Amino acid sequence: MEHAIADLGVQVEKKRDDLDEFFDEFINSKPIFNDKSVLQSNYNPDKIQHREDYIKDIAKILAPALRKERPSNLFIYGKTGTGKTTCINHVLNKISNIAHTREIPLEVISINCKLKKVADTEYRIILEILKQLGREMPSTGISTNELYKELYDAIEQKKRTVLLVLDEIDSLIKKAGDEILYNLTRINPELKQAEISIVGITNDLTVMDTVDARVKSSLNEEELVFLPYNAVQIQDILGDRAIMAFHSEVLDEEVIPRCSAYAAREHGDARRALELLRFAGEIAEREGSDKVLPGHIDTADKKTERNRIIDVIKSQPKQFQLVNYAIIKTSMKEKHNLVTSKKTQIIEPTTTGAVYDYYNKVAKELGIVTLSLRRISDIIIELEVLGLINFKIVSKGRYGRTRFISVGLPKTLYKEVLDILREDLSIS
Ligand SMILES: Nc1ncnc2c1ncn2[C@@H]1O[C@H](COP(=O)(O)OP(=O)(O)OP(=O)(O)O)[C@@H](O)[C@H]1O
Ligand SMILES: [Mg+2]
């Protein structure tokens, strides 16, 4: 028995040695990060760069609320990571503070519709609005009609302006339909003393196409489009954060320019740039390097890009996967070299017509319902929004213009993506 314990002691000590060494090395190495949290996407920057004009535009549109007048409804569109949420939150904070100190009756209700259990259904979102207006309601047992009456009553309680901000509104429409927006935009004319304005924000315009035209025009009383950042602007944004995030002299001077160039490659996405920088820092740390080098950005880029693409492709509905498959397959051509008589595979842009024919053929073989050309065109647009494909319009002189579709995947991922699609679609 004593012997066994002694043995165990030796073993434990041996294991501790290995781990000890690892942890010792970790503690003794120069730390890379000073404060990693400033690179996280929920961090609210003190300084918002290159968005002065948009911030002013939003402020001008919402300012009437401070004079107890109803601001126009506002619709904000822009690709992901272009600073929409950051800018609106900044203006909302300012306007709420001013209203508070000057005792102006303004109520800001801000909802991220992507959050689960908040905006999954019409019922849930009204509950959330009521909650933010200070009325907790039971989560079941009341009819939707009654809930709307309660909402009307809660808003109308006193003379005030209510700003209802629905961020990621596409998510709400996808989950709950456009009925809720129809009803919300209809509340205002009914109100006697209070007023409500709606701010809708999205990075997905294709969903807005499914919305009732009256609702759309009512939400669009004012519209702002956030353009993507360019690489230089992203450098400025990263520079500010990097000073706080990393210890001094840890970043090689090429790191931020490279990170910005990568993030601006598809469209200037500040979130992706920050993620890339954080990930590169983590890779450097794990390697025991005391500096973040451009090569760490390259590794981070490959890993995040691959993960993002694979995640998106795997989570798509079958019809999307099949259209994607058809795009890749119709883009792959064999080129015959007449001299060497060797065949090589090349990738060329394809067209909607070719994709549709191929899609139809495979869908029939697989026994999947075939969708109309119109619907396939919509799916193709959605694939572009996701960054999986790119469009190129080519002018054909007097024959008009043709839209070409090219695959947006890195070459190294073609095989892996095709394998995933084949497996998910059961294509042999
Ligand atoms: N101009 C800026 N200055 C500083 N940080 C910024 C700026 N723009 C964006 N960011 C940062 O980039 C990240 C993404 O920005 P934000 O969430 O505002 O994008 P978004 O347009 O709302 O994207 P999505 O459509 O995906 O919701 C955030 O972490 C934010 O702090
Ligand atoms: Mg956002």
Side-chain angles (χ1 to χ4, degrees):
M1 183 68 187
E2 224 168 70
H3 193 67
I5 288 172
D7 268 358
L8 199 66
V10 170
Q11 263 181 22
V12 168
E13 203 151 274
K14 205 169 166 197
K15 264 192 191 161
R16 265 176 45 105
D17 271 355
D18 287 351
L19 269 182
D20 270 349
E21 211 169 286
F22 169 75
F23 284 132
D24 278 352
E25 242 173 58
F26 187 85
I27 290 169
N28 292 335
S29 64
K30 230 172 93 190
I32 295 270
F33 290 106
N34 174 44
D35 180 4
K36 200 155 67 170
S37 70
V38 302
L39 297 176
Q40 243 131 31
S41 62
N42 55 2
Y43 174 82
N44 257 335
D46 290 337
K47 198 163 123 205
I48 304 176
Q49 299 228 51
H50 301 294
R51 286 302 188 229
E52 297 80 3
D53 290 348
Y54 290 130
I55 290 175
K56 231 177 244 163
D57 285 343
I58 299 174
K60 277 184 204 158
I61 293 165
L62 301 185
L66 294 174
R67 281 208 193 122
K68 297 174 202 159
E69 290 161 15
R70 177 184 167 269
S72 299
N73 289 338
L74 167 63
F75 184 74
I76 301 179
Y77 165 74
K79 292 200 173 173
T80 180
T82 52
K84 302 179 297 296
T85 303
T86 309
C87 291
I88 191 84
N89 285 347
H90 178 70
V91 178
L92 291 178
N93 275 340
K94 273 261 154 61
I95 205 169
S96 304
N97 284 342
I98 294 172
H100 184 72
T101 42
R102 295 182 181 233
E103 295 182 357
I104 299 166
L106 169 68
E107 199 68 47
V108 174
I109 299 169
S110 180
I111 298 176
N112 181 343
C113 302
K114 215 175 199 164
L115 285 184
K116 284 207 179 88
K117 299 198 174 159
V118 169
D120 290 351
T121 58
E122 184 177 18
Y123 198 93
R124 280 213 172 118
I125 196 148
I126 309 173
L127 277 186
E128 178 63 27
I129 300 172
L130 277 167
K131 191 171 140 196
Q132 293 199 26
L133 282 170
R135 285 202 190 184
E136 288 272 1
M137 304 288 292
S139 57
T140 50
I142 309 167
S143 74
T144 314
N145 260 349
E146 278 174 86
L147 213 54
Y148 270 113
K149 270 192 210 127
E150 195 69 32
L151 177 65
Y152 173 86
D153 195 50
I155 297 170
E156 187 67 337
Q157 213 178 58
K158 55 182 168 196
K159 188 165 169 49
R160 63 169 162 193
T161 311
V162 175
L163 275 182
L164 172 61
V165 181
L166 301 171
D167 198 355
E168 317 232 15
I169 197 170
D170 50 289
S171 192
L172 171 67
I173 298 163
K174 268 190 214 150
K175 287 184 284 189
D178 63 354
E179 181 100 357
I180 167 91
L181 295 179
Y182 183 83
N183 292 328
L184 288 174
T185 51
R186 289 290 165 286
I187 289 183
N188 206 52
E190 306 280 321
L191 296 167
K192 291 191 184 66
Q193 53 174 357
E195 285 179 308
I196 178 166
S197 300
I198 303 174
V199 178
I201 304 171
T202 185
N203 57 29
D204 184 355
L205 276 190
T206 52
V207 174
M208 291 313 288
D209 286 343
T210 65
V211 170
D212 181 289
R214 283 165 300 176
V215 179
K216 225 159 75 175
S217 75
S218 157
L219 281 178
N220 269 42
E221 284 172 353
E222 293 282 352
E223 188 184 73
L224 279 178
V225 180
F226 274 53
L227 294 176
Y229 296 107
N230 61 35
V232 177
Q233 292 171 328
I234 292 198
Q235 275 197 44
D236 291 340
I237 294 172
L238 285 183
D240 272 359
R241 300 276 183 105
I243 291 172
M244 299 181 278
F246 294 96
H247 281 292
S248 58
E249 293 175 27
V250 155
L251 286 192
D252 179 276
E253 62 180 24
E254 261 308 298
V255 163
I256 288 183
R258 185 166 305 188
C259 187
S260 311
Y262 283 172
R265 209 169 25 195
E266 281 157 27
H267 74 266
D269 177 344
R271 180 181 300 111
R272 177 152 167 67
L274 289 162
E275 265 169 19
L276 209 52
L277 188 59
R278 194 188 75 218
F279 195 21
E282 285 169 353
I283 293 171
E285 196 171 56
R286 262 176 242 159
E287 277 180 5
S289 166
D290 53 10
K291 266 191 163 257
V292 186
L293 302 167
H296 293 130
I297 295 281
D298 294 343
T299 314
D301 181 60
K302 281 197 196 101
K303 285 195 176 163
T304 51
E305 182 67 358
R306 182 196 161 276
N307 291 348
R308 185 185 73 84
I309 291 171
I310 304 294
D311 280 357
V312 168
I313 285 173
K314 278 189 178 164
S315 64
Q316 278 179 333
K318 285 245 170 340
Q319 292 286 356
F320 277 63
Q321 290 185 325
L322 188 49
V323 175
N324 205 353
Y325 184 73
I327 293 173
I328 301 177
K329 289 297 275 187
T330 53
S331 300
M332 295 169 97
K333 311 253 161 59
E334 273 195 345
K335 203 172 177 187
H336 209 135
N337 188 319
L338 292 174
V339 182
T340 61
S341 64
K342 267 192 184 162
K343 282 182 189 164
T344 44
Q345 198 154 60
I346 55 160
I347 310 289
E348 274 182 351
T350 181
T351 59
T352 307
V355 171
Y356 190 61
D357 289 346
Y358 194 91
Y359 157 88
N360 248 323
K361 187 178 91 146
V362 182
K364 286 203 180 99
E365 279 167 15
L366 296 174
I368 297 177
V369 183
T370 49
L371 301 178
S372 66
L373 178 60
R374 170 82 215 276
R375 189 64 199 110
I376 297 303
S377 298
D378 289 345
I379 293 180
I380 291 176
I381 292 170
E382 291 200 35
L383 294 174
E384 196 264 345
V385 173
L386 290 167
L388 295 174
I389 58 168
N390 300 308
F391 291 145
K392 193 172 164 204
I393 309 283
V394 174
S395 170
K396 301 227 157 174
R398 64 195 176 93
Y399 299 108
R401 297 178 330 151
T402 306
R403 186 173 71 181
F404 282 97
I405 304 163
S406 56
V407 183
L409 303 175
K411 298 259 165 352
T412 48
L413 279 184
Y414 272 67
K415 191 180 168 307
E416 192 176 355
V417 166
L418 276 177
D419 285 347
I420 290 170
L421 290 173
R422 271 197 212 99
E423 192 181 329
D424 281 7
L425 291 163
S426 314
I427 298 175
S428 47

